[in-house]
Amino acid sequence: MNAVTIVIAAACVLMIAYRLYGTFMAVKVLRIEETRPTPAHALEDGKDYVPTNKWVAFGHHFAAIAAAGPLVGPVLAAQFGFLPGLLWILIGAVLGGAVHDMVVLFASMRQEGKSLSEVAKEQLGPVAGFCTGLAMLFIITITMAGLSMVVLNALAQNPWGTFAVAMTIPIAILIGLYHRKTGDLKKASVVGILLLAGAVIAGPYIKDTAIGDLLTLDIKTLAIILPIYAFFAAALPVWLLLAPRDYLSSFMKIGVFVALIAGVFVVNPAIQFPAFTQFVNGGGPIIGGPVWPFVSITIACGAISGFHAFIGSGTTPKMLNRWKDIKMVGFGAMLVESMVAVMALVAATVLMPGDYFAINSTPEKFQTLGMTVHHLPALSQEIGLNLEGRPGGAVSLAVGMTDIFRSVPWFNHLASYFFQFVIMFEAVFILTAIDAGTRVSRYIIQDFFGSLYKPLRKSDWMPGVIISSVLACFMWGYLLYSGDISSIWVLFGVSNQLMAAIGLIVGTTVILKMASHRMYALTCLVPLIYLYATVMYAGIWMITKVYLGSGPGHSVLNAVLSIIMLALGVVIIVTAIGKWRQLWKRPRLRLERPVRSKTA
């Protein structure tokens, strides 16, 4: 099997799905019409509710949802071989992820851009709304820790990469201010992209200086810095840091993967992994469980992801300029992310298996596998960084992409630049999601605790903004500081996919209420049944065999968090089934249309 075949087949599947299934969802199922102002216009406040150019909104949404999942998940799931991950990415994204994202975004916009917990309260009742809000608090905390964990191993003791990533913050602020003042998006984009490239090029020149010494950080120090940064990202106005950084990073993300696709066509590397490895039945050094359910848990954002519900009912519904933008932003961004996941899987599986497992396993564990490294020592020397024993997926993805790029004629002497650029690319990918995710966490805390103290609900009450942002950062920062990738990633995967199931539950209810045909609810119900069974099985497996077991990964805290989340999921699904029965028994469903605004 060669990589070009996989890339062409995946691109064709996703483009056809967008053209046919995306249009069906927009026109037939959701009946999207421009009948009233979007929440961004109706509630415009210049801070959170801001009408935004559809390309900027797409860039923000794509950058926010496309975090570690489509990069790291497929890399870690390569442990099972290339075929299980490839099938799940394509099938899960088309039938599950894109539908989930589009329906959640639509449902939130119909309720003034409110969070999914508020939408659940309206659609399913106060019990389900309360449980959804509580589940979202647990899940967003675990999600932020899981995403941040990936950054740590990539930037630890790596001043070049840390400098490049750090420079994206002032660059984004500068571009945000310039665009706010002039409205010149094209010039702001060109300048921002050039500055980002300059940050990578400048890296070698600061590596051995006092600045380089200052930026040579260990994992624990980075685990403190990241939540502090996230506090400012959550508290500052959305146009100052969040939107411009996401917009610029989306150019870099898409550009890198377009370049990777071009590199694959030029080099046409062979896939070195078999379709299935010996670890499909469990016992792997990276993911201990069997291929099902863990391929669907490990590859989260690349196929279907509950984290998207936080963005789709958090920042994005407050930004869309027109209702018809829902298809491009909701459905389209998910399919682009799926293509990113396919390319990440390709980059991982063109590595020799020995090199792949040497990076993603501890040295002690790798010795037990009986494998031999091939190109890794030479590449480590060329890059100037020890690449073995850096689990988490980020480094192996960077190595795989670098290996493809350096195989292109005239590029074979630029391995160190390619590697550090990909590290920055990955870190920015993840940090943009941390930006948006922490901000959404702040919204959830304000909504959830605002029922106890009403001023906390006000988005313009600065003490409430600061208190909720500090609380959000502290919760996931604690997990980040005290955990490791093996303990955090699967916990993140289970909680993330449970959140996706909750999003599909709400989506099923919304469609049953307003669609012209009740059978359209199957667009959400079919992926929901699979995902819910997957989550429950994986959660119980991890609790009984890992968290409460006697081996590595034992964690009472993780077990308690898992039990609470699964219990909340049961309450929500039981409540929803009761609601669905009532809706199904209606002799004739009344089609709910938005009320036409006098100013529309």
Side-chain angles (χ1 to χ4, degrees):
M1 175 69 73
N2 60 58
V4 170
T5 303
I6 292 177
V7 172
I8 293 175
C12 290
V13 169
L14 297 175
M15 287 190 290
I16 292 171
Y18 180 77
R19 180 67 182 86
L20 299 181
Y21 199 39
T23 302
F24 170 75
M25 288 296 301
V27 175
K28 296 293 186 180
V29 179
L30 301 180
R31 300 174 65 92
I32 294 174
E33 298 174 348
E34 300 291 338
T35 54
R36 63 176 175 177
T38 63
H41 285 284
L43 302 172
E44 184 175 0
D45 60 7
K47 189 173 186 292
D48 293 315
Y49 290 86
V50 181
T52 307
N53 176 282
K54 67 178 181 180
W55 292 106
V56 176
F58 177 89
H60 155 74
H61 186 78
F62 172 71
I65 65 171
L71 297 178
V72 176
V75 173
L76 299 179
Q79 170 191 272
F80 301 120
F82 75 84
L83 190 58
L86 180 63
L87 292 177
W88 170 240
I89 289 168
L90 296 178
I91 297 172
V94 172
L95 299 182
V99 171
H100 167 274
D101 291 9
M102 190 177 188
V103 172
V104 168
L105 178 57
F106 174 78
S108 177
M109 288 180 66
R110 281 170 57 91
Q111 291 187 218
E112 302 180 335
K114 292 180 179 177
S115 68
L116 189 64
S117 62
E118 294 296 309
V119 177
K121 184 186 298 183
E122 174 69 23
Q123 299 295 330
L124 297 171
V127 174
F130 174 83
C131 290
T132 299
L134 191 58
M136 289 175 74
L137 276 176
F138 277 101
I139 292 168
I140 195 68
T141 299
I142 296 167
T143 298
M144 292 299 96
L147 297 179
S148 302
M149 183 63 67
V150 178
V151 179
L152 300 188
N153 280 319
L155 297 184
Q157 309 299 326
N158 183 5
W160 184 351
T162 303
F163 171 79
V165 172
M167 287 303 296
T168 64
I169 299 171
I171 291 172
I173 292 175
L174 177 65
I175 297 306
L177 290 170
Y178 179 82
H179 180 237
R180 183 80 168 180
K181 183 177 181 179
T182 66
D184 191 340
L185 183 61
K186 290 183 179 179
K187 187 177 291 186
S189 302
V190 171
V191 172
I193 293 168
L194 291 176
L195 289 174
L196 288 175
V200 177
I201 295 172
Y205 301 101
I206 64 94
K207 186 172 61 170
D208 298 321
T209 66
I211 296 176
D213 293 338
L214 184 65
L215 295 177
T216 303
L217 305 172
D218 59 25
I219 287 179
K220 292 299 183 183
T221 303
L222 287 167
I224 295 172
I225 291 174
L226 281 179
I228 294 174
Y229 156 74
F231 164 78
F232 291 100
L236 289 172
V238 68
W239 59 265
L240 181 60
L241 175 60
L242 186 70
R245 179 176 177 147
D246 291 353
Y247 175 67
L248 288 174
S249 65
S250 67
F251 275 107
M252 185 171 68
K253 294 170 184 180
I254 295 174
V256 167
F257 274 95
V258 169
L260 180 59
I261 291 171
V264 166
F265 275 89
V266 172
V267 177
N268 192 17
I271 300 296
Q272 302 294 342
F273 274 58
F276 301 95
T277 69
Q278 69 267 35
F279 302 119
V280 291
N281 295 318
I286 302 168
I287 305 296
V291 65
W292 187 85
F294 287 100
V295 70
S296 299
I297 295 299
T298 305
I299 303 177
C301 302
I304 181 170
S305 168
F307 177 71
H308 298 189
F310 291 100
I311 309 303
S313 67
T315 52
T316 303
K318 300 175 177 65
M319 298 170 65
L320 289 198
N321 188 44
R322 302 185 65 179
W323 287 91
K324 69 177 184 179
D325 294 344
I326 290 176
K327 177 188 172 184
M328 185 180 81
V329 174
F331 202 92
M334 178 64 241
L335 297 187
V336 174
E337 182 179 3
S338 179
M339 193 65 205
V340 170
V342 170
M343 296 310 302
L345 181 66
V346 167
T349 53
V350 298
L351 293 175
M352 297 299 293
D355 292 347
Y356 166 86
F357 284 104
I359 297 171
N360 287 291
S361 308
T362 63
E364 297 78 16
K365 184 68 175 179
F366 181 72
Q367 292 297 323
T368 67
L369 300 180
M371 296 181 178
T372 304
V373 294
H374 292 80
H375 309 300
L376 200 58
L379 190 58
S380 294
Q381 185 175 4
E382 190 173 350
I383 292 173
L385 193 69
N386 183 21
L387 300 174
E388 295 186 26
R390 286 180 176 257
V395 173
S396 54
L397 175 60
V399 169
M401 292 176 69
T402 299
D403 196 47
I404 292 173
F405 288 140
R406 69 199 287 264
S407 299
V408 177
W410 309 296
F411 288 168
N412 59 345
H413 61 290
L414 297 175
S416 59
Y417 283 93
F418 282 129
F419 179 83
Q420 294 296 351
F421 183 82
V422 173
I423 289 296
M424 182 184 78
F425 154 76
E426 292 180 284
V428 170
F429 230 116
I430 296 163
L431 290 177
T432 49
I434 293 172
D435 293 353
T438 304
R439 195 178 192 91
V440 171
S441 182
R442 189 250 291 179
Y443 294 155
I444 295 170
I445 290 171
Q446 287 184 275
D447 284 343
F448 195 75
F449 293 105
S451 58
L452 301 177
Y453 186 62
K454 291 187 177 180
L456 194 61
R457 281 182 177 266
K458 298 179 180 179
S459 61
D460 58 350
W461 187 53
M462 191 53 62
V465 170
I466 293 173
I467 291 170
S468 55
S469 298
V470 168
L471 182 59
C473 295
F474 174 79
M475 289 191 301
W476 67 258
Y478 174 78
L479 279 179
L480 176 66
Y481 189 82
S482 60
D484 57 51
I485 191 67
S486 62
S487 64
I488 292 294
W489 189 260
V490 175
L491 179 63
F492 154 67
V494 171
S495 63
N496 185 59
Q497 301 301 59
L498 176 61
M499 190 70 243
I502 294 172
L504 289 170
I505 289 170
V506 172
T508 302
T509 309
V510 169
I511 293 173
L512 279 175
K513 281 188 173 183
M514 55 81 59
S516 57
H517 298 286
R518 287 179 291 188
M519 295 302 292
Y520 287 161
L522 291 175
T523 57
C524 286
L525 189 59
V526 169
L528 168 61
I529 292 171
Y530 170 81
L531 198 62
Y532 194 82
T534 299
V535 165
M536 296 302 292
Y537 183 85
I540 293 171
W541 194 95
M542 289 298 297
I543 291 168
T544 56
K545 296 182 181 294
V546 178
Y547 300 146
L548 297 181
S550 57
H554 174 82
S555 172
V556 175
L557 175 61
N558 287 356
V560 171
L561 290 174
S562 298
I563 291 169
I564 292 173
M565 288 187 300
L566 295 181
L568 290 171
V570 170
V571 173
I572 294 168
I573 191 68
V574 169
T575 304
I577 290 173
K579 184 70 174 181
W580 297 341
R581 291 181 62 187
Q582 295 175 10
L583 294 172
W584 198 266
K585 290 179 181 179
R586 287 183 180 180
R588 184 170 179 234
L589 290 180
R590 179 173 60 87
L591 181 61
E592 296 181 2
R593 291 180 179 270
V595 178
R596 183 179 296 275
S597 170
K598 294 180 180 180
T599 60

